[in-house]
Amino acid sequence: MIDRVISSRGPDSFEWRFVAIIGAILSLGLLSIYSVTHAQPGGGLPLYARQMLWVVMGGAAFLVMLVFDYHKIARLSYLLYVIALVLLAVVLIVGKTSRGAQRWFPIGPFAFQPAEFAKVVLILVLASYYANSAREGWRQRVVLPGLIMAPGLLLILKQPDLGSGLSFLAIYVAMLLVVGVRSKALGILLLLALMLFPFAWEVMWGALHDYQRERILTFVNPAYDPGGKGYHGLQSRIAIGSGELLGKGLYGGTQSQLKFLPEGHTDFVFAVFAEEWGFLGVLLLLALFLGLIMLSMEIASRAKDVLGALLAAGVIAMIGFSMVINIGMTAGIFPIVGIPLPLMSYGGSAIVTTMAALGLLVNIKRRRLTLFY
Amino acid sequence: MLDLSPQQDELRELQRRLTILKIGLLLVIVLLAFRLWHLQVREGQYYRDLSENNRTRSVILEPARGLIYDRNGVLLANNVPSFNLYVTLEDVTDRERLIKRLVGLIGLDEARLRKRLSERGAKLLPRKLKGGLTLREAALIESHRLDLPGVMVQAESQRNYPARLTASHLLGYVGEVSGDQLEKPEFGDLHQGSIVGQYGVEHTYDRFLRGRAGQKVIEADALGHEKRTVEVQKPEAGDDLYLTIDLRLQKLAEDLLGEEAGAIVAMDPATGEVLALASRPAFDPNVLSRELTPKQWEEIVQDEGHPLTNRATQGQYPPGSTFKIVMAVAALETNTIDPTTTIRCVGSYPFGRRLYKDWKEGGHGTMVLSQAIIDSCDVFFYTIGQRMGIEAIASYANQFGLGRETGIELPSERLGIVPSPAWKEKARNEPWLPGETISASIGQGYLTVTPLQMTNLIATVGNNGVSFRPRLIRAVMERATGRLQELPHVARDRLAIKPETLALIQHALAGVVTEGTARRAKSSLVTIAGKTGTAQTVAARPGPEQDLPKKLRDHAWFISYAPTVAPRIAVTVLVEHMGHGGSAAAPLAKQLIETFIKLTPHEPVIAESGSPVGSPMTVMVQQGPHD
């Protein structure tokens, strides 16, 4: 007993393995961003330096989320969610428009993406909802949390940001699964989904921008290729495939260096990495992500209460979903929807919120033993 | 120790359900790993090949250059289709073979081709090998395209000047941006092979005319030829320019010069708008805007007639007697003399050990200032120059804009020289000699001016001391907005000269034409005021003028404005090596002025009968109405 209390304050409580894996993934991301952007001309701070700045800020967010008891943070969740909804609404009016989507608040040379922030807040709000409700019946389990999620989802789809919208849905569904749905509730949900699908599809499809529709159509039918939108996917596959077993070496990726590959530092950072590091590098990266997920799972399954377990499950769902969809789309098994690779893609909002979410995980792990004080 | 409350129970159950998530994610990660193994290991070689022969190429789409019109909307410069030859090095398999084929097919210069191919630049971007292919050459290349991997013919626009040699110095010409230019920030948005203005208005207003290049991403076949367009970003055409030039006057001015070297400038004194700016000999900008061989270029540069020199803004000549206007103003303003002061001219002026001659043997007799201007008496001006000293002369010359830029929108304007003891000390490291003041008094010696500076000077006199910056651009037609933006007139200076002084000079200048040295400029259509000048090219001459070889003969000057009241046009004529201003230059100015009056008969131009010369009182208030 005494041993365990001491150990809760020792290295194990901070979880150095966890931090080491995060650090390793961040470093690989920074290297890839440096590789594609170091030769780019342009004024101001180079992208890799900016990303470093974001990592430092992410580190701060990680520590902040770790220091305060997650129960206290969860108590603020509804307030935070309201703030997130307001930000999502305001960004539609005053936000920066880029390629037909209005997603960012410009802050000096940087841009803040409220959808990233909203994802973490959604985890908090759903976890506190489930922890504080009796979780009886499908209304309390499915419908109410669905109604909580809906305004955020709609605001995000309005931007439109298909990737973040899908992440929102994924977090909801994953947490629902963990909470457990009785077969009857699941049946009703499926039935409802089927009935609503044509309508929802109509709404969703109508809300999509031309470039998003084309991306999806291109994926469904590669022969449908107006203006060569399948180009991105093809270039990405060429980049990954041409890395072969051992890769072309750091800075040696011809696809990315010669600018065949668009968005090499953001959505397609994995393709840059795969081209330069080869399949062995890819295995290493997948192992790191797998390690991160397994450690997180351990935290979730050892959490001392429902709130902790659900929070951990939400974070796992968010990171796992983004990772799988991102790598899947660069490798050509999913349509290109624009989801960043967690901890690797360039982007301040995503880095800071992802690291804040990971801080929350360590927080859950640290508090699990205080039960015995 | 373990609290087995129902809540803990439920937690355990919930945590068991995490396994679904765990297994799900594990499965997908394995699936991803398998997919990546498939891409990178099983099909790796295939993708490696694809990446090494990546067949997308980016082609720059050149913008259409803005058009240039004269003041009446007559086209001076446009674009015509032309075939340009490009090569993408990435697709060239055998460089030597390519060089051989191209030299054999269309006779490209081999050394030039080699140089072009070895220049630095992206291998994936097409580089221009030759512009302006003939239709035959383009067809030859196209029919041998299977034999010429990486080579393509692109139809683009070529600058065209329909009036050919007319206004060539003014319009300038275009050419490929040079390596040095590309380093400069104002050419930052350009690339190797971009066309920019290299001379004339094409150069000064390049930022308007240039437009913005577009881009086309194509998928190339195995030979580097276009198979499919992936993405197009359209180029933006440049803005159109409306010049102040009247093409009819410009043509006439050039015809008046004919085969002779020289310059004619016509300007609206009330606005500074340049109506004609002729310089001969001229060049054909159509030729210079194409690619010249080094030999062609050498021929042009080494031409004895210096056709590339714009004599109106870059030719520096002694002003000769036209400078007496400045002398007269200076003498009156410094109170060296008054209008009634008499000086006796006996045909020569002794100073030091030299005798300075008057152009008229035997002299003009006793005369006052206005008569001295009308007859262009040298001795009178030697005398007042000697009394004033060189500093006063230089100070008034500077006030009239000599020795500095007029500010016209043309590249490399020359300044001329207004000599002074300080200048001589600096430029030659020698002291000023008193005799040099005497030479300067009749516009000889070190003193040099450009025809444009003299036009500005005479326009200022006619415009009662107000000078404008000479300008060539009336308006810019913005392609993006479709708006015609007129540029405002810029008054530059008001000379600090007494109105009586100017009135006396104006009166005398009118007399020069009616009864003085420029009687051959007298017109029945309009009153003209002016001053002749004969600029010596060499100080000591071996014999009579007509026996001299032409290149040693004097330059003929005439500077003028018309009408004498509220002048609407100021004209300078300079003809090299044609002798006397009165006989060689004044008649040309007269013709140009008469034509201008006939073309724009907006107001009565003949003064009341009796006095064709504006009286000092009537010239006091005048602001020339103009079209």
Side-chain angles (χ1 to χ4, degrees), chain B residues 333-550:
Chain B
E333 291 289 302
T334 56
N335 294 316
T336 307
I337 54 167
D338 64 42
T340 58
T341 307
T342 56
I343 288 168
R344 188 174 148 74
C345 167
V346 293
S348 64
Y349 181 75
F351 184 82
R353 261 179 267 161
R354 269 190 70 182
L355 202 59
Y356 290 85
K357 283 189 177 166
D358 195 284
W359 63 270
K360 189 173 174 184
E361 250 174 273
H364 297 84
T366 303
M367 51 178 51
V368 292
L369 178 63
S370 58
Q371 197 59 44
I373 294 173
I374 290 167
D375 291 339
S376 200
C377 168
D378 290 338
V379 169
F380 191 96
F381 288 94
Y382 290 145
T383 313
I384 61 172
Q386 175 55 25
R387 287 190 200 167
M388 278 189 289
I390 187 65
E391 300 284 1
I393 297 171
S395 152
Y396 279 88
N398 285 327
Q399 274 198 52
F400 272 106
L402 304 184
R404 63 184 157 118
E405 287 173 347
T406 64
I408 195 166
E409 309 106 316
L410 287 176
S412 312
E413 186 186 358
R414 303 296 291 270
L415 308 182
I417 293 167
V418 174
S420 67
W423 166 82
K424 198 178 174 194
E425 187 65 42
K426 210 173 137 202
R428 310 218 158 189
N429 202 17
E430 283 170 16
W432 183 260
L433 302 175
E436 286 163 355
T437 305
I438 310 290
S439 298
S441 299
I442 57 157
Q444 295 294 154
Y446 297 119
L447 186 67
T448 57
V449 298
T450 68
L452 183 66
Q453 283 175 332
M454 291 314 280
T455 315
N456 214 19
L457 184 149
I458 194 70
T460 308
V461 171
N463 205 33
N464 290 335
V466 179
S467 77
F468 287 87
R469 197 165 74 103
R471 39 181 291 199
L472 286 169
I473 306 297
R474 263 196 122 183
V476 177
M477 174 76 166
E478 285 182 4
R479 276 283 173 95
T481 58
R483 268 185 321 183
L484 191 68
Q485 291 218 303
E486 302 229 7
L487 306 182
H489 304 132
V490 189
R492 191 161 77 150
D493 274 322
R494 175 179 284 276
L495 296 191
I497 294 172
K498 290 197 285 283
E500 309 90 87
T501 301
L502 276 174
L504 185 142
I505 305 284
Q506 287 165 349
H507 193 94
L509 292 178
V512 170
V513 176
T514 50
E515 52 182 296
T517 53
R519 283 187 299 273
R520 292 175 69 173
K522 193 172 170 184
S523 163
S524 55
L525 272 179
V526 60
T527 56
I528 298 174
K531 182 74 196 81
T532 56
T534 304
Q536 285 172 13
T537 48
V538 276
R541 42 199 58 230
E545 179 85 19
Q546 57 271 26
D547 298 342
L548 284 173
K550 188 162 182 192

Side-chain angles (χ1 to χ4, degrees), chain A residues 135 141 174-181 297, chain B residues 10-23:
Chain A
R135 299 192 291 281
R141 289 192 178 218
M175 289 176 80
L176 194 64
L177 283 176
V178 174
V179 166
V181 204
M297 283 291 181
Chain B
E10 204 181 348
L11 176 63
R12 295 285 160 261
E13 198 183 316
L14 194 146
Q15 282 169 337
R16 267 198 300 280
R17 243 175 269 128
L18 277 170
T19 323
I20 309 170
L21 203 57
K22 199 173 177 173
I23 291 170

Side-chain angles (χ1 to χ4, degrees), chain B residues 228-262:
Chain B
R228 194 173 65 105
T229 301
V230 178
E231 210 174 280
V232 181
Q233 187 194 346
K234 283 190 182 148
E236 288 169 34
D239 299 337
D240 298 340
L241 292 185
Y242 285 83
L243 303 189
T244 58
I245 297 297
D246 187 323
L247 186 64
R248 298 167 298 184
L249 290 182
Q250 178 75 25
K251 270 198 170 132
L252 176 65
E254 292 179 6
D255 291 347
L256 289 172
L257 285 169
E259 295 299 304
E260 300 303 330

Side-chain angles (χ1 to χ4, degrees), chain A residues 72-126:
Chain A
K72 285 183 191 155
I73 299 171
R75 244 169 267 150
L76 294 171
S77 61
Y78 285 95
L79 177 66
L80 287 172
Y81 191 58
V82 170
I83 293 173
L85 290 181
V86 169
L87 287 174
L88 284 172
V90 173
V91 81
L92 287 176
I93 303 159
V94 299
K96 198 173 84 177
T97 307
S98 156
R99 281 187 308 172
Q102 206 159 8
R103 296 179 187 169
W104 295 274
F105 285 118
I107 305 171
F110 302 109
F112 169 64
Q113 205 176 346
E116 292 291 338
F117 170 67
K119 280 193 245 174
V120 179
V121 177
L122 180 73
I123 296 169
L124 277 170
V125 86
L126 289 181

Side-chain angles (χ1 to χ4, degrees), chain A residues 135 178-179 227 242 255 260 331, chain B residues 10 17 35 48 54 56 230:
Chain A
R135 299 192 291 281
V178 174
V179 166
S242 66
Q255 280 295 105
F260 283 119
Chain B
E10 204 181 348
R17 243 175 269 128
R35 167 68 178 174
R48 173 69 63 120
N54 207 314
T56 52
V230 178

Side-chain angles (χ1 to χ4, degrees), chain B residues 169-184:
Chain B
H169 296 94
L170 191 103
L171 293 170
Y173 55 88
V174 298
E176 261 181 43
V177 66
S178 69
D180 293 345
Q181 283 172 325
L182 273 178
E183 313 256 306
K184 293 183 195 161

